[in-house]
Amino acid sequence: MRKPSYILLLMIAAFWILALTPQNKAVVSEGTSSTVQPKNAQSTPSGDEVCAGCHSAIYKSYKLTPMAHASGRATENLITADFTHKESGVHYRIFAEDGRAWLSFERKGDALVHGKRELLYYIGSGRRGLTYLFAVDGFVFESPINWYGDKRTWDMAPAYQNAQEIPMNLPAHTSCLHCHVSGMRPPLQGTENRYQMPLFPHSGVSCERCHGPGSSHINGGAIVNPAKLSPERRDAICMQCHMEGRVSVERAGRHIYEFKPGDSLTDYIRYYVFPESSSAALGAVSQVEALAQSACKKKSGDAMSCTSCHDPHFSPPPEERVSYYRSKCLACHGELETKHRPKEKDCIACHMPASQSTDVAHTEVTDHRILRMPVVPPPPLETSNDPKLRLVPFPDSPEADLRDLSLAWESLANRGMEEARPRAENMLRHALVEFPNDPAIFSALGYEEQKHGAINAARDHYRRALSLDPDSTDAATNLGVIEAQSGDLSDAIRLWQGAFQLTPGRSNIGMNLARAFCMSAKFNDSRDTIIRVLEFNPDLGGAKKSLQDLNRPHPTCNF
């Protein structure tokens, strides 16, 4: 189930729209080149059934867990929907027809907001939430509506509860798919959400996610046993999906979906947190960070891990949850069994209470900080202009490089923490000296220069980013804005055409391109581009109005 992944629009000057760095918590860096293929991608991952022959008891137990049902074909887990979103006035249905799953949408009186999409896959077990995926021309998107398991209700996708327009162009990012599927195919070169089908070969999170590729083990070779790994590599297996931090940055030339059990997770991604204070509010994926703040973990150190309390192969049924987790607490706190509230058997209710998630609506989060009672409110988070405030990697170590840290501050600034921008800009300038061939640094610094009006410097940075990574859509979009404002519409068109071809779901790029065509008196090209925008984003008000203007006897470019 997705959270907001990037800021769609930022208006600059009078018309042109500037791209921002994608602001999902995992910053998708360009790496050294978008042509780099996943180093650890598997072409033929094994399904759980292969393991069942020798591990039948574990297989049967695991198949009852939410992880085993975290993804699959839409028809395998179809929850019907039939509701009208009050704020947008759009009526949604999810239904089965002729053995296929469908999402329909309709707003009365709006001919463009009327259609349906075939739902191909589901993401999420449904216990906490679930969404569906559909494809347009091979580009995969998440449904604009989600099922929320805690409240057992349908509503808009997270952060879109009050949206006036349908978000039909929410790209299915690898940062989301990675945690819900196994054997995921990486996006096609240069794209963020165009995949070769089938998107993944097996339903759910498979055995290989925690134990590594099974191909050699089938023939008698070794398999990864997380319990025998070093604490850092053991914990990384859980952390890859149960940790977000304040911000995260993929390492240069690497992607989180390349991670394999036994690897060091920090070779692929860096998570960053503010260590000076903790927040009373919890995100939907904050379990590892919260556990690290607990007295239990601090006193136990490496001896304690997620598996101290959780068996990945087994989920206790509801009627056994209280006694099951109580036994986990008493394994370390046995002396309290008869002294500490002996009649109160539910340790979790007091020390790990559920609270509302800060980033996913209708969703509760179990507090893994294992709080003492009574709870002492944590200190408020300082503002980022406090010079004492540090952004440090999690787990904290001196190995994080300036490149990752500068991009982390930049991501925070682009997500609204403007106080972080001076620090980000200063670090980016130093990082450029240390990493002179990193396209992500050039693109981010180009954006900062562009905001300051240093157009020539911004142009140089974007061109350098594109020379290192020709498929950098952010660099191409922003450079196109510079060229358009300088009067070079032909070069702007060239840049935006390439970017829009790779990411047709990004309406801001298409609208820039349509306006450039219109201003060049290429009205048919402008009209075709807007139609393409509406194919992916049929409820975009600006595009609908612009299409009306272009269809007049005397077309106008009032967009």
Side-chain angles (χ1 to χ4, degrees), residues 51-108:
C51 304
C54 298
H55 306 281
S56 59
I58 292 177
Y59 170 78
K60 292 177 182 178
S61 176
Y62 180 70
K63 295 307 286 184
L64 300 176
T65 67
M67 284 199 301
H69 299 276
S71 60
R73 295 282 183 176
T75 52
E76 297 173 0
N77 190 4
L78 190 64
I79 302 175
T80 59
D82 191 340
F83 82 100
T84 299
H85 179 233
K86 181 179 179 180
E87 284 75 7
S88 64
V90 177
H91 179 241
Y92 296 94
R93 290 181 61 225
I94 288 180
F95 58 97
E97 185 176 85
D98 298 328
R100 298 155 78 181
W102 297 91
L103 163 73
S104 69
F105 54 93
E106 179 181 16
R107 181 191 290 121
K108 289 184 178 180

Side-chain angles (χ1 to χ4, degrees), residues 169-428:
N169 59 337
L170 305 176
H173 284 300
T174 57
S175 56
C176 176
L177 297 180
H178 164 73
C179 290
H180 291 91
V181 309
S182 292
M184 181 196 78
R185 297 178 184 271
L188 298 181
Q189 179 179 331
T191 74
E192 61 182 359
N193 67 319
R194 190 174 194 179
Y195 301 90
Q196 182 180 348
M197 295 296 180
L199 182 55
F200 49 89
H202 307 288
S203 297
V205 176
S206 74
C207 303
E208 291 185 323
R209 172 56 60 84
C210 299
H211 297 284
S215 54
S216 62
H217 185 59
I218 294 172
N219 298 319
I223 195 74
V224 174
N225 182 346
K228 295 183 179 180
L229 297 174
S230 68
E232 181 262 329
R233 293 175 188 249
R234 172 200 67 197
D235 297 344
I237 293 174
C238 298
M239 196 163 77
Q240 63 175 314
C241 292
H242 293 277
M243 173 71 193
E244 282 189 317
R246 190 64 177 83
V247 65
S248 57
V249 178
E250 288 186 330
R251 309 303 295 272
R254 308 303 290 269
H255 300 285
I256 180 62
Y257 56 79
E258 298 173 329
F259 170 80
K260 290 191 308 182
D263 288 348
S264 173
L265 186 60
T266 56
D267 288 343
Y268 300 89
I269 193 168
R270 270 291 189 189
Y271 301 95
Y272 289 90
V273 299
F274 290 125
E276 277 76 18
S277 58
S278 59
S279 173
L282 297 171
V285 186
S286 61
Q287 294 90 345
V288 172
E289 181 183 0
L291 180 64
Q293 298 175 21
S294 70
C296 293
K297 177 63 175 174
K298 290 177 179 177
K299 292 180 179 180
S300 302
D302 290 338
M304 186 177 187
S305 70
C306 299
T307 55
S308 297
C309 301
H310 295 280
D311 181 351
H313 305 130
F314 171 74
S315 290
E319 65 274 13
E320 297 178 12
R321 283 177 57 83
V322 170
S323 60
Y324 178 85
Y325 289 111
R326 177 178 174 81
S327 70
K328 299 297 182 180
C329 297
L330 293 177
C332 295
H333 303 284
E335 75 282 0
L336 299 178
E337 183 170 13
T338 58
K339 298 178 181 179
H340 179 65
R341 300 190 179 187
K343 295 182 179 181
E344 178 56 65
K345 302 299 184 182
D346 191 350
C347 306
I348 301 298
C350 288
H351 297 284
M352 301 180 68
S355 61
Q356 184 65 35
S357 166
T358 61
D359 46 11
V360 177
H362 311 302
T363 301
E364 291 187 336
V365 181
T366 299
D367 194 334
H368 280 70
R369 291 174 296 178
I370 316 178
L371 304 168
R372 286 181 175 273
M373 301 297 289
V375 177
V376 177
L381 186 66
E382 302 293 339
T383 59
S384 61
N385 59 357
D386 185 340
K388 297 181 294 183
L389 188 66
R390 297 181 301 135
L391 190 62
V392 301
F394 181 95
D396 197 0
S397 76
E399 300 172 359
D401 59 43
L402 184 59
R403 178 238 184 222
D404 299 337
L405 188 57
S406 64
L407 290 174
W409 280 109
E410 176 75 0
S411 179
L412 289 176
N414 289 342
R415 284 161 41 193
M417 189 182 284
E418 281 297 324
E419 307 96 318
R421 196 167 296 283
R423 192 176 304 196
E425 184 176 348
N426 180 59
M427 287 186 176
L428 285 168

Side-chain angles (χ1 to χ4, degrees), residues 102-122:
W102 297 91
L103 163 73
S104 69
F105 54 93
E106 179 181 16
R107 181 191 290 121
K108 289 184 178 180
D110 192 333
L112 286 174
V113 184
H114 178 89
K116 64 180 184 178
R117 301 284 189 270
E118 182 179 3
L119 302 175
L120 304 177
Y121 301 99
Y122 74 89

Side-chain angles (χ1 to χ4, degrees), residues 12 275 478 482 507:
I12 69 167
N478 294 344
I482 289 175
S507 303

